[in-house]
Amino acid sequence: AQSVTQPDIHITVSEGASLELRCNYSYGATPYLFWYVQSPGQGLQLLLKYFSGDTLVQGIKGFEAEFKRSQSSFNLRKPSVHWSDAAEYFCAVGVEAGGSYIPTFGRGTSLIVHP
Amino acid sequence: EPEVTQTPSHQVTQMGQEVILRCVPISNHLYFYWYRQILGQKVEFLVSFYNNEISEKSEIFDDQFSVERPDGSNFTLKIRSTKLEDSAMYFCASSEVGGNYEQYFGPGTRLTVT
């Protein structure tokens, strides 16, 4: 069965600093990989996804992620963090099911941004 | 921009009672999902629904749970006899068939079982 590990429960950065959130997955085949963001009181919003092809994926809000098969990782990065980026971030690995996919989520990383 | 909506935002119920959580998916979407997130834990898949039937379900989705699309717009999750451990945030999501697989999530319903 697939699994996702987000080793950092909390990450604190200063506004304007760079950010990297770690994600490691376990899955026997080529994975579908996702990053979601959840702001307080909101649902999950998809930041970016990887299905195949270029291993560096660009997403919304200036985020990017790199798929590294040899490390089973899909780390999320942003060169300069804004205060509005403070939120919970979830990595997920998806298993295709018919015309959709079923995601397995990590426990999430809470991003705190200092002014 | 179209969005998934959920009602109520917070539901308090007594143990053993039945609850129905409601969702209005995005209008042209055909796949619907329910997830739950127990406080402090990860988001967990419950069930997916397509073409008026359950497509996939997890081990969590046992006989006390059911889903229904009673009309052309609503998608509901019923919990027949609530337990304390059902207290969680429940998220509805919807997606188009095929394509980019993006699931759009609603804001969630916080269920508190006392």
Side-chain angles (χ1 to χ4, degrees):
Chain A
Q2 66 276 12
S3 66
V4 175
T5 301
Q6 293 180 249
D8 303 305
I9 298 174
H10 302 284
I11 291 279
T12 301
V13 298
S14 297
E15 191 170 16
S18 63
L19 170 70
E20 182 170 34
L21 302 183
R22 295 184 290 165
C23 172
N24 292 95
Y25 69 90
S26 173
Y27 184 56
T30 300
Y32 297 151
L33 295 164
F34 308 84
W35 274 99
Y36 285 87
V37 61
Q38 183 183 28
S39 299
Q42 303 294 314
L44 282 75
Q45 181 183 20
L46 182 68
L47 285 175
L48 48 78
K49 59 185 183 284
Y50 170 80
F51 286 171
S52 64
D54 193 347
T55 56
L56 184 62
V57 180
Q58 301 298 319
I60 63 171
K61 304 186 180 188
F63 285 93
E64 67 177 28
E66 187 171 10
F67 170 56
K68 293 186 177 180
R69 185 187 299 276
S70 61
Q71 298 177 19
S72 297
S73 69
F74 189 58
N75 294 347
L76 182 71
R77 301 194 293 249
K78 186 169 184 177
S80 178
V81 169
H82 188 262
W83 65 265
S84 60
D85 293 324
E88 191 84 13
Y89 290 80
F90 294 93
C91 181
V93 59
V95 176
E96 188 173 6
S100 181
Y101 70 88
I102 305 302
T104 296
F105 289 90
R107 290 191 174 276
T109 297
S110 179
L111 175 64
I112 301 164
V113 180
H114 281 168
Chain B
E1 184 176 332
E3 58 183 19
V4 176
T5 59
Q6 291 185 243
T7 54
S9 57
H10 191 191
Q11 173 91 45
V12 181
T13 190
Q14 290 190 325
M15 193 167 52
Q17 295 297 303
E18 174 183 287
V19 295
I20 297 176
L21 309 183
R22 291 181 167 81
C23 168
V24 178
I26 294 173
S27 61
N28 64 333
H29 287 183
L30 296 178
Y31 261 102
F32 314 114
Y33 313 82
W34 283 102
Y35 297 82
R36 80 171 184 190
Q37 184 181 28
I38 295 171
L39 187 63
Q41 299 188 23
K42 62 178 70 175
V43 176
E44 300 171 293
F45 167 76
L46 292 178
V47 66
S48 62
F49 190 86
Y50 171 69
N51 202 25
N52 282 321
E53 61 183 23
I54 290 174
S55 179
E56 301 283 335
K57 62 180 181 178
S58 70
E59 294 174 349
I60 303 167
F61 194 86
D62 59 22
D63 291 343
Q64 69 162 152
F65 292 95
S66 63
V67 289
E68 191 180 28
R69 187 154 164 82
D71 53 44
S73 60
N74 290 282
F75 178 53
T76 62
L77 174 69
K78 182 191 291 186
I79 309 175
R80 262 181 268 285
S81 178
T82 51
K83 300 180 277 218
L84 293 176
E85 54 265 38
D86 293 327
S87 294
M89 194 73 145
Y90 288 82
F91 292 105
C92 173
S94 69
S95 69
E96 298 175 344
V97 175
N100 64 13
Y101 292 115
E102 179 166 356
Q103 295 183 22
Y104 293 80
F105 283 75
T109 292
R110 179 164 299 285
L111 176 65
T112 302
V113 182
T114 61

